[in-house]
Amino acid sequence: MAKFESEEVLAVKEGLERLPGHDELERALKTLLRELGEEPDREGLLRTPRRVAQSLRFLTSGYRQDVDQVLNGALFSVGYDEMVIVKDIEVFSLCEHHLLPFFGRCHVAYIPTEKVIGLSKIPRLVDVFARRLQVQERLTTQIANTIMDKINPQGVGVVIEARHLCMIMRGVEKQNSVAVTSAMLGVFRDHTQTREEFLSLVRGRS
Ligand SMILES: [Zn+2]
């Protein structure tokens, strides 16, 4: 019973209160276990559907987040028109083709016209889109387009480097292959020098 309660507390902490359809999801996961050849009622699996349902709710919590709410109060007008760059943001997402994780780093840069986004909000913005079923290409462009929409900068650059378990675990790719995607908008697309400055800052990591 104590174990049960601690999971409840964890769920509340993570904002994983049972959502509509949760029972249905747990039933589906029980079916999944059975179809995989397991016995869903054996001790070790008894609470697995519930845990997996909660875990999936968390990993897809981006569907229930609102970009404006995340950025609320964190758009500032400042007299700054140099490149803002936030690099090495950890990204964890689920590939929509296999429901397996892909994970890596995201680098975000933009050159403001008038407004900037509070620096701490950029990783949160990345999570809004990463915590959904995704393909890496779309995740990359969604982040770039959102920054473009919200603060109308001179340009935005987003690069994601990620490893996909659906490729690695199934032996489709070698262990260390990394997929790299980028989205370049505005001056990052039009000016080679700006793009190169961004990419060289990204490459310059330890
Ligand atoms: Zn996949």
Side-chain angles (χ1 to χ4, degrees):
M1 204 57 196
K3 203 173 169 189
F4 183 87
E5 281 169 5
S6 72
E7 270 175 27
E8 290 290 328
V9 170
L10 189 70
V12 171
K13 262 188 178 169
E14 293 177 346
L16 301 175
E17 68 284 359
R18 292 165 70 82
L19 294 161
H22 206 100
D23 291 338
E24 187 67 35
L25 183 53
E26 285 182 38
R27 265 197 298 281
L29 287 160
K30 198 169 172 181
T31 304
L32 176 73
L33 289 173
R34 198 178 297 113
E35 292 299 316
L36 290 176
E38 266 293 354
E39 295 163 35
D41 292 326
R42 73 175 170 85
E43 198 189 344
L45 293 178
L46 216 47
R47 295 188 47 74
T48 296
R50 176 135 199 215
R51 287 190 205 95
V52 175
Q54 286 181 338
S55 159
L56 284 174
R57 291 291 193 199
F58 174 69
L59 297 175
T60 58
S61 55
Y63 290 124
R64 299 179 297 284
Q65 286 186 313
D66 178 65
V67 167
D68 290 321
Q69 235 165 3
V70 167
L71 298 179
N72 184 32
L75 304 183
F76 308 103
S77 293
V78 289
Y80 185 81
D81 62 357
E82 299 297 320
M83 191 179 294
V84 176
I85 177 162
V86 181
K87 62 179 191 170
D88 295 329
I89 301 166
E90 282 189 319
V91 177
F92 295 92
S93 191
L94 289 175
C95 107
E96 69 181 15
H97 300 135
H98 303 93
L99 300 188
L100 286 171
F102 65 94
F103 58 95
R105 294 156 188 261
C106 177
H107 316 289
V108 175
Y110 64 92
I111 298 178
T113 40
E114 195 199 331
K115 286 189 167 157
V116 298
I117 299 173
L119 289 176
S120 68
K121 296 293 184 173
I122 293 190
R124 291 197 55 203
L125 186 64
V126 169
D127 277 343
V128 169
F129 295 106
R131 287 183 183 150
R132 300 176 186 206
L133 304 186
Q134 275 291 8
V135 293
Q136 188 178 327
E137 295 87 339
R138 187 175 63 224
L139 174 59
T140 311
T141 55
Q142 281 176 334
I143 296 163
N145 288 338
T146 300
I147 294 172
M148 205 68 190
D149 277 359
K150 296 302 170 190
I151 56 166
N152 189 33
Q154 296 175 51
V156 182
V158 176
V159 170
I160 298 180
E161 306 166 282
R163 301 173 71 201
H164 292 243
L165 287 190
C166 63
M167 290 160 76
I168 298 166
M169 290 179 77
R170 298 185 311 138
V172 178
E173 289 290 341
K174 299 286 181 216
Q175 290 288 321
N176 291 314
S177 65
V178 175
V180 182
T181 48
S182 68
M184 302 288 171
L185 304 176
V187 289
F188 285 75
R189 186 184 55 213
D190 300 334
H191 297 166
T192 312
Q193 202 183 331
T194 303
R195 185 169 59 243
E196 285 305 317
E197 183 187 344
F198 168 47
L199 292 175
S200 73
L201 286 167
V202 164
R203 281 187 213 108
R205 70 169 181 273
S206 53

